Amino acid sequence: MRPVDWAVLCATVLAIVLWGVWKTRRVATADAYLRGEGERFWTIGLSIMATQASAITFLSTPGQAYEDGLGFIQFYFGLPIAMVLLAWWVVPIYRRLRVYTAYEYLEGRFDRKTRTLTALIFLVSRGLAAGMSLYAPALVLTAVLGWPLQITNLAMGALAVLYTVSGGTRAVSVTQSWQMGIMLSGMLAAFLFVLHALPDGVGLVGMVKVAGALGKMQGVDASLRLDTRYTLWSGLIGGLFVALAYFGTDQSQVQRYLGGASLRESRTGLLFNALIKVPMQFLVLMVGIAVVVFHQFERPPLLWNGVAEAQARRVPEVATKLDALDARLSRIFAEKHAAVQRMLGGDAAAKTVIRAREDDERAVRHDARALVRAPGQASDADSIFLSFVLRHFPPGLVGLLLAVIICAALSATASALNALGATSVVDFYRMWRPDSTDAERLRAARLCTIGWGVVAMSFAAFASLLDNLIQAVNILGSIFYGPMLGVFLTGWLLPRVRGTAAFCATLLAQACVVALWLGTGIGYLWYNVAGCALVVGLALVLQAVLEYWGASRVPSSTA
């Protein structure tokens, strides 16, 4: 990187961290630390978006679009519906009860063991996801500086812990507004630059035409296949369930709108997210589409992860095989490039050649990745956007895009650590030490936040084994979100069901979802539907059994 890139990157990241520390320097009570202060709707909305838009979004999603096109956008089709339902129905419940965490509600509705189980599920799932969020910016610094992943994980984790521990919920909220602005500005600048870098005469219309010929512009798949990950129905139904679970029961999101100045501000913050999230995700995917089209006119590299390729080439046999694959890719590119030119000139038949050569290129890249893939390396697909930025972006814009990725990582990680610390204190420490003072709870919250930061940094080492981070983090969430939503829906909708039935139904449903994940090829969005339906159905059955068993044990009256 050039000095101007370092200046932009360091100034942006340090300004965000120092702003968060300074702005929340007077947070001195457990209540202010855990719940935050009254926030306006735009702060809530931007904070909700920034919590969800981790560095994985900006690193992995363009790579997802490069490989598979716009189909991933269907994942978000259920989100706006979920935001409306939550704003109308769930937010008033939490506001009325003045809970610190979503799981407090379940103790009042069911019992303590159900609250403890759901809080534990959250700690496990969000603790693992926080590790993945840290791994993404580690890819950036590893690629730019050549640092070991352990050092970069430690650096990112330490920065996130610093301002999260200093100000808690308030620190997370005040920094996320700025972080979200930087993210959106950076991705828009990236899209405009790639569009401008296309050959003269291509432009936006030509870009869409070429991407369509490559099969990348199909944003909606109306098929009913359950083994396809992204379809219109999995997005509307499965996406609705995952959004209801994530925004309605996951403490990292619930905590964002619990601190609203009023019920109206909290509701409007969620609706703000409903309007902005899908267009934002479409923009990020279109960056990946633009990169695909750019590389129909300039030959792409055989492998995007240059570090992994350089390590693999140290073995002479592997280097020979990679050279052969690279030569084959050159021939494929030449044929495809000629076909693209013919298609832009009006030859409709060239589309068949383009699609065939695209399949050939995919096969070549698959063989190359198999040669170099090793534990501890970033996946090649997750390196696509970063590699393109470093190869082609001008000075200053490189620093801005790296700042986008690192700000996103800090934002998502800080939200997760804040929620993990709050849940640890409210749902475990406070029950264990009910007579603890405010100062003791504040100290415990800060220590728990640091502890979860260590856990996240440790798990980040595992993330390098995953093929695509954006899919991995969504699969992880889908394994847990269905049962979590199911127990909350049972509490909201089925007053007849009591604690023991809800507790057992949640355990059984969670085991079933894990079995689905390990033993079937069903698209992961359906895990959310299955898990939720299993909890609700099993809770009703178990409650009926318990009532019958209890009634049968009551001795009949005698005359």
Side-chain angles (χ1 to χ4, degrees), residues 340-389:
V340 168
Q341 296 285 16
R342 293 199 305 273
M343 184 200 67
L344 291 175
D347 183 2
K351 292 182 180 180
T352 303
V353 178
I354 293 171
R355 190 67 64 89
R357 297 295 81 77
E358 177 71 9
D359 292 340
D360 292 342
E361 181 179 329
R362 187 186 297 270
V364 168
R365 190 165 277 117
H366 177 270
D367 292 342
R369 288 170 176 173
L371 289 172
V372 305
R373 190 77 171 106
Q377 291 176 346
S379 76
D380 198 57
D382 286 325
S383 302
I384 290 174
F385 181 57
L386 176 61
S387 175
F388 184 85
V389 167

Side-chain angles (χ1 to χ4, degrees), residues 278-398:
V278 176
M280 185 198 82
Q281 202 65 37
F282 180 77
L283 170 63
V284 178
L285 287 167
M286 286 303 295
V287 172
I289 296 295
V291 173
V292 172
V293 175
F294 177 88
H295 278 298
Q296 306 313 305
F297 302 96
E298 179 172 316
R299 212 212 83 163
L302 176 65
L303 293 164
W304 298 92
N305 188 340
V307 174
E309 182 178 2
Q311 291 175 349
R313 283 185 174 277
R314 295 172 184 171
V315 180
E317 296 84 355
V318 174
T320 300
K321 292 179 180 179
L322 288 175
D323 288 339
L325 289 171
D326 193 63
R328 185 180 171 194
L329 178 63
S330 294
R331 293 192 296 270
I332 292 170
F333 171 77
E335 294 178 18
K336 188 167 61 166
H337 176 68
V340 168
Q341 296 285 16
R342 293 199 305 273
M343 184 200 67
L344 291 175
D347 183 2
K351 292 182 180 180
T352 303
V353 178
I354 293 171
R355 190 67 64 89
R357 297 295 81 77
E358 177 71 9
D359 292 340
D360 292 342
E361 181 179 329
R362 187 186 297 270
V364 168
R365 190 165 277 117
H366 177 270
D367 292 342
R369 288 170 176 173
L371 289 172
V372 305
R373 190 77 171 106
Q377 291 176 346
S379 76
D380 198 57
D382 286 325
S383 302
I384 290 174
F385 181 57
L386 176 61
S387 175
F388 184 85
V389 167
L390 296 176
R391 289 168 184 263
H392 298 288
F393 277 31
L397 191 55
V398 173

Side-chain angles (χ1 to χ4, degrees), residues 34 55 69 158 204 266 278 291 320 352 393 402 413 517 519:
L34 297 172
L204 181 61
S266 296
V278 176
V291 173
T320 300
T352 303
F393 277 31
L402 295 181
T413 304
W517 170 51

Side-chain angles (χ1 to χ4, degrees), residues 417-499:
L417 297 181
N418 180 223
L420 289 165
T423 302
S424 299
V425 169
V426 173
D427 295 297
F428 292 94
Y429 177 81
R430 201 168 66 177
M431 290 194 292
W432 174 55
R433 291 280 308 276
D435 57 345
S436 59
T437 65
D438 184 84
E440 288 172 335
R441 288 195 292 272
L442 177 60
R443 182 167 59 251
R446 285 179 164 145
L447 289 174
C448 286
T449 301
I450 295 172
W452 280 109
V454 173
V455 170
M457 286 182 271
S458 301
F459 183 70
F462 171 77
S464 61
L465 304 178
L466 304 173
D467 289 330
N468 184 272
L469 288 174
I470 190 68
Q471 292 197 99
V473 76
N474 288 328
I475 291 171
L476 176 64
S478 293
I479 291 170
F480 294 102
Y481 282 153
M484 184 75 83
L485 177 61
V487 70
F488 275 86
L489 282 179
T490 301
W492 295 329
L493 296 176
L494 303 174
R496 175 185 171 186
V497 177
R498 310 313 302 165

Side-chain angles (χ1 to χ4, degrees), residues 42 74 91 134 143 147 182 195 202 241 256 264 274 293 298 301 311 344 346 404 417 490 514:
W42 56 81
Q74 295 168 112
V91 175
L134 274 180
W147 292 355
I182 293 168
L195 188 63
V202 177
F241 275 72
R256 306 279 67 81
R264 181 177 181 179
V293 175
E298 179 172 316
Q311 291 175 349
L344 291 175
V404 166
L417 297 181
T490 301
V514 172

Side-chain angles (χ1 to χ4, degrees), residues 122-142:
F122 165 74
L123 291 178
V124 172
S125 61
R126 186 50 52 193
L128 298 181
M132 294 186 196
S133 297
L134 274 180
Y135 174 68
L139 289 177
V140 176
L141 295 184
T142 297

Side-chain angles (χ1 to χ4, degrees), residues 11 66 72 82 111 117 131 147 185 190 286 349 355 420 458 464 524 543:
Y66 189 101
F72 182 65
D111 52 28
L117 173 63
W147 292 355
S185 300
M286 286 303 295
R355 190 67 64 89
L420 289 165
S458 301
S464 61
Y524 69 82
Q543 185 62 39

